[in-house]
Amino acid sequence: MFFGHLGVGFGAKAVAPRVSIGVLLVAATAIDVLASLFIAIGLESVSPENGAGPCSHGLFMAGVWTLAAFALLFVVTRDWRSALVVGLLVASHWVLDFISHPMGMGKPLPPDLPLLFEGSPKVGLGLYNSVVSALVTDFGLFAAGVAVYLVKTRPLDRTGTIAFWVMIAAIFASPFIMLLGTVGSVIACFTPLILIPLGIWAERHRRCVVARPKAPAAESGA
Ligand SMILES: [Zn+2]
């Protein structure tokens, strides 16, 4: 999955309004960011034959990263709800990859997500072996998440709108960076990190829409 993970991050603003949007987006894509880091330092390699790397995309390690993200957010914010949402976002990445991998995009591939480490059984339902399924799911999830974000936050001024669109432009620039080859692919997977400063900038100029408390029921006989 590609943009769909970011859609889940945008949508999470509805349940974690206190967490900056950049942090939500990085949590949703953390496993891919880790994969880029591990590829860059030679710990993992990704190829259609080997599948996804076990240190980033293995089920066991995805659980470890989920717990680490929860603990980190809880230590920093002391807000268990925000920490839980961020942890679940990290876990959501593996679940969505389980549904979408292997991503043959028209050339069906065998399951490529390891359960444990090197040599362990690999799983994956292969939704993205079909180009149509991949496009509909990826852009559908992204659009749905962005729509939730736009309903839940409103710009305070022009900068709030501009910064939001700069975030979207940064997200859609990443596939073009991938055209630069292997190095470009690794750089592109790190691009979620730039969403942290962009998100802070955007949300200094946006406000969360708070649900109005229900009016108290009229007391009878008063
Ligand atoms: Zn992934």
Side-chain angles (χ1 to χ4, degrees), residues 5-29 85-86 89 142 145-150 152-153 160 163-165 167-168 171 192-206 208:
H5 292 301
L6 293 163
V8 176
F10 273 113
K13 192 71 182 177
V15 286
R18 278 189 267 181
V19 183
S20 177
I21 186 61
V23 174
L24 295 174
L25 295 174
V26 168
T29 51
V85 172
V86 166
L89 276 176
F142 184 78
V146 169
V148 169
Y149 182 74
L150 290 177
K152 292 292 173 185
T153 71
F164 166 77
W165 286 108
M167 271 200 298
I168 298 293
I171 288 168
L193 297 179
I194 203 173
L195 297 173
I196 289 183
L198 287 180
I200 292 170
W201 175 44
E203 293 192 337
R204 281 197 180 141
H205 298 271
R206 299 182 73 86
C208 276

Side-chain angles (χ1 to χ4, degrees), residues 1 5 28-29 31-33 35 52 56-57 93-94 97 101 103 113:
M1 182 166 285
H5 292 301
T29 51
I31 285 178
D32 283 346
V33 174
S56 60
H57 281 74
H93 187 104
W94 195 89
D97 273 0
H101 277 234
M103 303 195 291
L113 281 181

Side-chain angles (χ1 to χ4, degrees), residues 16 98 113 157 166:
F98 170 67
L113 281 181
D157 52 27
V166 170

Side-chain angles (χ1 to χ4, degrees), residues 34-115:
L34 284 170
S36 301
L37 175 67
F38 295 155
I39 291 167
I41 62 174
L43 196 64
E44 281 189 355
S45 64
V46 178
S47 67
E49 301 80 44
N50 296 334
C55 296
S56 60
H57 281 74
L59 175 59
F60 174 77
M61 287 308 294
V64 171
W65 303 129
T66 296
L67 291 175
F70 171 81
L72 179 66
L73 251 285
F74 187 74
V75 166
V76 172
T77 65
R78 296 281 155 189
D79 175 359
W80 71 266
R81 183 189 165 111
S82 298
L84 188 64
V85 172
V86 166
L88 288 175
L89 276 176
V90 176
S92 79
H93 187 104
W94 195 89
V95 175
L96 290 172
D97 273 0
F98 170 67
I99 295 166
S100 56
H101 277 234
M103 303 195 291
M105 303 297 279
K107 277 195 279 177
L109 295 170
D112 68 346
L113 281 181
L115 288 178

